[in-house]
């Protein structure tokens, strides 16, 4: 089975009928616009052959009244009717007269938009010589914002998603004579969305007239879906024909509000994330469109940005000037045609694809259909997620890799949660909910890497090559720790594809900022995420680490008295006095406690700072000590010990002065017994795949596992083999990745089912 979101089919839609009366004055209204012309209906015989159907036509909406989208058909009629109604004027009034009346009444228009709808409303406001204020979500790219503004509108950026922009526009419309022109219906707001839907019917009439002139009729129409207004117009047209036409609705994986609603049986709001199909990035279906869509959509298909990108490239190579939303229709049709349930298509089918926008710039997306650990490691490595707070070299942060993972989860209809306590440092938690009564398992992997500047060749290659006779993936972070994270994701995908839900939850936490402050894992814990067992797939060369030391940084400040170097009677040398403390610290080191598994705690002086210039007595000297701790050591015991050392020295030397020691960083130890049931299950799962037991031991380095151990989650550190952590060349072994994908999948079966 595939792990991706299934296609929704509604066999009952074939028998649905909708009465759709002709809209008075609409055709004449659109034809009164300057340079009105029916947009092209382009036949693609090569595509028809590929899909095994009679004909495929593409309605090319790349130039409608000089705008690169069909949206102006609905927005113009909606604006016209809304302004005329507000002023108590007839729907037959001319545009010129309506403009004069609207200006005299100081009418203004507002809307929320992901692009073309807002630009169309702005276009209509300019045509009427009135003001427009367009609210856009923060995710909308600057280029699209500029295009809306080029029509004379004022842009207002909302620090939220599309649905929050709608709420902001609604609030704006409460002002006198400010009219909301939104294609989303909600309680108490139905007229304007209905008029917008009516406006789109001009496009459907053009399609019908063109096909009738060719002596054929459509049997299937594929339409992109945002809030559902265009799809509603398509449904009304298709299900009012004497021979009803099947309707395929196509949505982004990342904004599948219609698909989710159809599967749930009621309208639901979904969480969205970045997509190149900007105009379709909507979280809620229009309330006026929903009842008809629920009854009458024959199939609902979701597609990735990458699939849309590939589809529009095909369309552009065949002289259709499509943008990403236009490519979505073809991407959906291709997916439907290759499914086992492609009964809507046959050798007699005449298919019409609605290409709803013209070409526009966008960032070429990555393929999110990858399920295997090796391919995922390559994909993740190719994304720059260098930590911005780790070094003097600016890193880009985790936004791009978080967007990729959000799309990856959405492609498979896997529930995910975006956690961003610190702006620009997001973590994602994906989860397959269990049926109940089972144990939950988390794979926790960090998405950030160290700086790219220290890498010798291309740090983002993600290429496969040979190293020491082994096939490996190269690139910064491939080993530390995108390879381990990829293995966890692959196990999650395999669980989804199995078609059989576990009893316990399976969780993947892709966390930010592990390389510096472990912000992501702390945020995930604060958000309430726990599990009955957790795996941190750091590169352990195939060993299972059940324990590692913690660390605590303590600043000890020795005080002196500043004075000129020529005046020893006034000065007190803080650096010289620090020597007495360092000698005492060296003796203390030998007395550090010993743990049965982790060995003796350790310390070293990592930094010493003091003095201003050679010719002055230093007024202070600060020593930063790092303690690598075992469970017997706590913050309080170490502070007490350091204070005792300082006090003893001061008692022997009255001139020795100091400030109270202070902790600047603390990380707990990690320790779970080797015979713990979770550890034993992990050993058993690995042995069944590998044919031998992995080594179980403690580790020398600190990991985020300690945070989960501290809140009672049994945690192990267990990941693939490779070399080059933080070095000039980094690689992870392909065979090891493949093994860990199988081991983690088996662990899910053994622990969660």
């Amino acid at each position: 089975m595939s792990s991706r979101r299934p296609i929704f089919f509604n066999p009952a839609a074939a028998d649905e009928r909708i009465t759709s009366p002709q809209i008075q004055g609409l055709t004449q209204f659109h034809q009164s616009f300057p340079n009105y012309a029916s947009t092209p209906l382009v036949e693609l015989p090569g595509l028809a052959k590929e899909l095994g159907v009679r004909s495929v036509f593409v309605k090319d909406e790349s130039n409608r009244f000089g705008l690169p989208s069909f949206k102006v058909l609905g927005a113009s009629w909606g604006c016209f009717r809304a302004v005329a109604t507000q002023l108590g004027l007839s729907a037959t009034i001319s545009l010129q007269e309506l403009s004069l009346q609207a200006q005299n009444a100081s009418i203004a228009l507002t809307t929320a938009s992901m692009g073309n709808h807002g630009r169309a409303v702005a276009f209509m406001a300019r045509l009427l010589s009135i003001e427009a204020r367009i609210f856009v979500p923060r995710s909308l790219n600057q280029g699209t914002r500029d295009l809306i503004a080029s029509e004379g509108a004022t842009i207002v950026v909302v620090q939220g998603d599309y649905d929050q922009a709608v709420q902001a526009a609604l609030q704006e419309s409460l002002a006198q004579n400010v009219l909301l022109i939104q294609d989303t219906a909600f309680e108490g707001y139905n007229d304007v969305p209905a008029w917008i839907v009516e406006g789109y019917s001009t496009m459907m009439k053009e399609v019908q007239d063109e096909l009738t002139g060719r002596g054929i009729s459509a049997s299937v129409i594929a339409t992109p879906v945002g809030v559902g207004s265009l799809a509603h117009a398509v449904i009304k047209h298709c299900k009012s024909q004497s021979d009803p036409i099947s309707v395929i609705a196509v949505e982004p994986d990342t904004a599948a509000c219609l698909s989710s609603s159809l599967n749930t049986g009621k309208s639901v709001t979904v969480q969205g994330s970045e997509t190149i199909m900007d105009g379709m990035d909507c979280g809620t279906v229009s309330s006026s469109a929903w009842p008809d869509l629920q009854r009458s959509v024959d199939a609902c298909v979701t597609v990735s940005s990458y699939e849309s990108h590939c589809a529009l490239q095909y369309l552009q190579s065949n002289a259709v000037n499509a943008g990403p939303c236009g490519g979505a229709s073809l991407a959906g049709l291709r997916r439907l045609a290759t499914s086992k349930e492609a009964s809507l298509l046959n050798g007699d089918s005449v298919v019409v694809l609605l290409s709803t926008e013209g070409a526009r710039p966008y960032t070429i997306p990555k393929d999110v259909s990858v399920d295997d650990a090796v391919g995922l490691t390559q994909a993740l490595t190719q994304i720059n997620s260098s930590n911005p707070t780790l070094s003097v070299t600016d890193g880009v942060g985790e936004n791009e890799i978080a967007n990729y993972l959000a799309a990856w989860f959405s492609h498979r209809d896997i529930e995910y949660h975006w956690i961003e306590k610190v702006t620009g440092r997001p973590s994602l938690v994906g989860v397959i909910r269990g049926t109940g009564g089972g144990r939950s398992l988390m794979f926790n992997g960090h998405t950030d890497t160290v700086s790219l500047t220290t890498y010798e060749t291309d740090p983002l290659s993600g290429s496969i090559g040979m190293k020491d006779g082994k096939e490996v993936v190269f690139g910064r972070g491939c080993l530390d720790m995108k390879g381990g994270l990829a293995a966890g994701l692959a196990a999650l995908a395999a669980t989804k594809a199995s078609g059989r839900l576990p009893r316990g939850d399976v969780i993947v936490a892709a966390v930010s900022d592990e390389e510096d402050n472990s912000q992501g894992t702390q945020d995930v814990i604060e958000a309430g995420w726990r599990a009955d067992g957790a795996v941190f797939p750091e590169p352990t060369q195939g060993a299972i680490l059940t324990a590692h030391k913690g660390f605590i940084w303590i600043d000890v400040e020795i005080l002196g008295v500043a004075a000129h170097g020529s005046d020893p009677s006034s000065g007190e040398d803080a650096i010289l006095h620090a020597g007495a403390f360092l000698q005492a610290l060296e003796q203390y080191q030998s007395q550090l406690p010993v743990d049965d598994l982790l060995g003796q705690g350790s310390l070293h002086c990592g930094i010493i700072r003091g003095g201003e210039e050679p010719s002055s007595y230093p007024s202070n000297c600060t020593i930063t000590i790092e303690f690598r701790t075992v469970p017997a050591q706590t913050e309080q015991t170490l502070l007490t010990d350091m204070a005792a050392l300082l006090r003893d020295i001061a008692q022997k030397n009255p001139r020795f002065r100091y400030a109270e020691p202070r902790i600047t960083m603390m990380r707990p130890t990690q320790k779970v017994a080797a015979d713990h049931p979770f550890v034993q299950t992990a050993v058993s799962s690995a042995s069944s795949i590998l044919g031998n037991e992995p080594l179980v031991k403690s580790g020398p380095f600190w990991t985020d596992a300690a945070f989960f151990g501290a809140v009672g989650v049994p945690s192990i550190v267990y990941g693939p083999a490779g070399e080059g952590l933080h070095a000039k060349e980094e690689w992870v072994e392909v065979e090891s990745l493949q093994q860990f994908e199988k081991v983690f999948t088996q662990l899910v079966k053994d622990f969660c089912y």
Side-chain angles (χ1 to χ4, degrees):
M1 292 181 63
S2 170
S3 67
R4 77 175 298 180
R5 186 194 305 267
I7 299 171
F8 175 87
F9 289 97
N10 178 18
D15 298 322
E16 285 292 328
R17 300 291 183 271
I18 296 176
T19 301
S20 185
Q22 187 173 1
I23 303 154
Q24 295 298 318
L26 176 62
T27 301
Q28 294 85 345
F29 170 75
H30 283 143
Q31 290 178 350
S32 72
F33 276 58
N35 303 316
Y36 167 79
S38 176
T39 53
L41 191 66
V42 181
E43 185 171 11
L44 299 178
L47 183 58
K49 183 177 180 181
E50 172 195 326
L51 301 176
V53 298
R54 176 182 172 185
S55 303
V56 176
F57 295 89
V58 180
K59 182 66 167 170
D60 182 357
E61 288 288 319
S62 59
N63 185 1
R64 178 69 78 168
F65 305 141
L67 296 182
S69 167
F70 79 104
K71 287 281 190 179
V72 69
L73 290 173
S76 62
W77 184 244
C79 291
F80 177 80
R81 291 298 307 275
V83 174
T85 300
Q86 175 75 6
L87 299 176
L89 302 173
S90 167
T92 60
I93 191 173
S94 70
L95 277 173
Q96 293 79 5
E97 181 61 29
L98 185 67
S99 173
L100 290 173
Q101 297 273 13
Q103 291 176 65
N104 290 336
S106 298
I107 297 290
L109 305 179
T110 190
T111 192
S113 177
M114 283 300 298
N116 286 320
H117 172 72
R119 188 176 178 187
V121 171
F123 165 84
M124 193 62 183
R126 181 167 60 80
L127 204 62
L128 295 172
S129 299
I130 60 177
E131 184 183 356
R133 291 193 283 278
I134 313 299
F135 290 79
V136 301
R138 66 181 179 184
S139 62
L140 188 65
N141 64 77
Q142 188 61 48
T144 303
R145 296 180 196 176
D146 293 342
L147 288 172
I148 298 172
S150 72
E151 300 294 338
T154 299
I155 303 296
V156 183
V157 179
V158 175
Q159 295 306 309
D161 60 14
Y162 172 79
D163 284 354
Q164 290 168 300
V166 171
Q167 292 303 311
L170 175 61
Q171 189 66 32
E172 177 78 4
S173 71
L174 298 178
Q176 187 176 6
N177 286 336
V178 177
L179 304 183
L180 180 66
I181 310 298
Q182 201 64 54
D183 52 0
T184 307
F186 44 84
E187 186 177 351
Y189 185 77
N190 294 293
D191 289 345
V192 172
W195 292 328
I196 290 173
V197 170
E198 288 179 356
Y200 296 149
S201 63
T202 291
M203 178 169 58
M204 303 313 300
K205 184 177 184 303
E206 290 175 357
V207 171
Q208 185 177 33
D209 290 346
E210 176 81 12
L211 292 178
T212 299
R214 297 178 183 232
I216 55 176
S217 59
S219 55
V220 177
I221 292 183
T223 177
V225 177
V227 296
S229 296
L230 172 60
H232 198 194
V234 173
I235 284 287
K236 286 187 170 187
H237 171 80
C238 291
K239 300 304 181 180
S240 66
Q241 305 301 306
S242 55
D243 291 321
I245 303 169
S246 297
V247 177
I248 303 168
V250 184
E251 293 184 290
D253 291 327
T254 51
C257 56
L258 178 59
S259 175
S260 298
S261 298
L262 290 170
N263 280 292
T264 305
K266 63 179 181 180
S267 181
V268 297
T269 296
V270 300
Q271 175 186 18
S273 63
E274 189 175 88
T275 175
I276 63 171
M277 297 165 275
D278 287 345
M280 301 162 67
D281 187 11
C282 305
T284 308
V285 180
S286 172
S287 62
S288 61
W290 165 244
D292 285 341
L293 296 179
Q294 183 181 26
R295 290 193 306 271
S296 305
V297 164
D298 295 87
C300 186
V301 185
T302 66
V303 298
S304 68
S305 288
Y306 182 75
E307 288 170 317
S308 174
H309 163 71
C310 294
L312 76 84
Q313 285 190 308
Y314 177 89
L315 292 175
Q316 289 178 356
S317 71
N318 284 272
V320 178
N321 188 30
C325 293
S329 297
L330 173 54
L333 182 67
R334 278 177 162 165
R335 187 184 170 202
L336 182 70
T338 56
S339 74
K340 296 179 180 179
E341 302 168 287
S343 57
L344 292 175
L345 303 175
N346 56 54
D348 295 324
S349 297
V350 176
V351 183
V352 176
L353 302 174
L354 302 184
S355 179
T356 53
E357 67 171 352
R360 57 178 170 81
Y362 62 91
T363 301
I364 296 176
K366 296 186 181 298
D367 187 4
V368 294
S369 68
V370 185
D371 276 344
D372 68 287
V374 176
L376 276 166
T377 300
Q378 291 182 274
L380 296 177
T381 302
Q382 289 163 3
I383 300 172
N384 184 355
S385 56
S386 48
N387 194 308
T389 60
L390 185 62
S391 68
V392 295
T393 304
D394 289 339
V396 302
E398 299 89 353
N399 269 322
E400 185 180 348
I401 198 166
N403 278 317
Y404 176 85
L405 290 170
W408 190 91
F409 289 131
S410 296
H411 190 65
R412 292 156 182 79
D413 195 21
I414 292 175
E415 174 190 339
Y416 74 90
H417 301 261
W418 185 289
I419 301 170
E420 189 174 359
K421 186 177 178 182
V422 176
T423 301
R425 310 306 302 274
S427 299
L428 266 73
V429 178
V431 55
I432 294 177
R433 299 285 182 181
T435 58
R439 296 173 297 184
S440 57
L441 175 65
M442 175 186 285
F443 298 99
N444 180 303
H446 65 85
T447 57
D448 63 320
T449 73
V450 294
S451 172
L452 307 186
T453 57
T454 56
Y455 204 87
E456 193 169 64
T457 54
D458 179 6
L460 303 177
S461 73
S463 60
I464 292 180
M466 300 300 294
K467 193 73 177 180
D468 300 330
K470 296 179 180 179
E471 193 175 31
V472 300
V473 177
F474 289 102
R476 172 64 75 220
C478 66
L479 180 63
D480 184 18
M481 61 176 298
K482 292 178 178 180
L485 175 59
L489 290 167
L492 191 72
T495 302
K496 180 71 162 55
S498 72
R500 178 170 164 257
L501 286 174
R503 290 186 298 131
D505 297 345
V506 184
I507 306 163
V508 172
V511 300
S512 64
D513 194 35
E514 186 274 348
E515 293 288 1
D516 187 14
N517 197 41
S518 294
Q519 183 70 45
T521 283
Q522 294 183 85
D523 290 348
V524 167
I525 289 173
E526 186 177 323
W529 289 95
R530 303 289 189 275
D532 295 310
V535 179
F536 292 74
E538 293 275 9
T540 65
Q541 311 302 316
I544 294 178
L545 309 186
T546 62
H548 60 68
K549 292 177 180 177
F551 66 88
I552 296 177
W553 296 350
I554 296 181
D555 275 0
V556 173
E557 185 178 11
I558 311 301
L559 303 177
V561 177
H564 194 279
S566 64
D567 187 11
S569 62
S570 300
E572 200 69 64
D573 192 336
I575 295 176
L576 202 58
H577 285 314
F581 172 73
L582 293 174
Q583 287 180 328
L585 191 66
E586 186 176 20
Q587 293 178 355
Y588 169 82
Q589 183 178 24
S590 64
Q591 304 164 17
L592 290 173
V594 178
D595 182 78
D596 60 343
L597 184 60
L598 294 170
Q600 187 176 32
S602 66
L603 68 82
H604 67 276
C605 297
I607 302 173
I608 185 165
R609 299 179 300 273
E612 296 292 335
E613 61 272 325
S615 61
S616 297
Y617 278 80
S619 64
N620 67 320
C621 178
T622 301
I623 302 163
T624 299
I625 311 161
E626 179 180 81
F627 293 87
R628 289 287 167 157
T629 59
V630 296
Q633 295 171 292
T634 68
E635 296 170 79
Q636 191 54 53
T637 61
L638 289 176
L639 284 175
T640 299
D641 288 351
M642 293 303 99
L645 288 181
L646 293 164
R647 188 168 55 250
D648 288 347
I649 298 170
Q651 288 175 350
K652 297 173 184 176
N653 180 3
R655 297 171 61 191
F656 182 87
R657 296 185 305 118
Y658 59 91
E660 287 299 315
R662 61 187 181 275
I663 291 176
T664 60
M665 173 76 83
M666 179 271 175
R667 292 292 182 262
T669 57
Q670 163 61 17
K671 188 176 181 182
V672 60
D675 60 355
H676 189 283
F678 175 58
V679 177
Q680 290 304 301
T681 301
V683 170
S684 175
S685 298
S687 300
S688 68
I689 297 298
L690 304 175
N692 54 75
E693 286 193 4
L695 181 65
V696 178
K697 63 176 187 175
S698 62
F701 49 80
W702 189 88
T703 74
D704 276 358
F707 279 126
F708 271 89
V711 294
V713 177
S715 303
I716 61 172
V717 185
Y718 180 38
E723 296 291 342
L725 278 73
H726 300 199
K728 63 182 181 180
E729 184 180 56
E730 184 176 351
W731 67 91
V732 59
E733 296 176 13
V734 166
E735 183 181 11
S736 184
L737 289 172
Q738 293 168 336
Q739 289 175 341
F740 269 89
E741 176 180 341
K742 294 175 183 177
V743 168
F744 287 171
T745 302
Q746 186 63 45
L747 180 57
V748 170
K749 293 177 182 176
D750 294 342
F751 194 70
C752 301
Y753 280 84

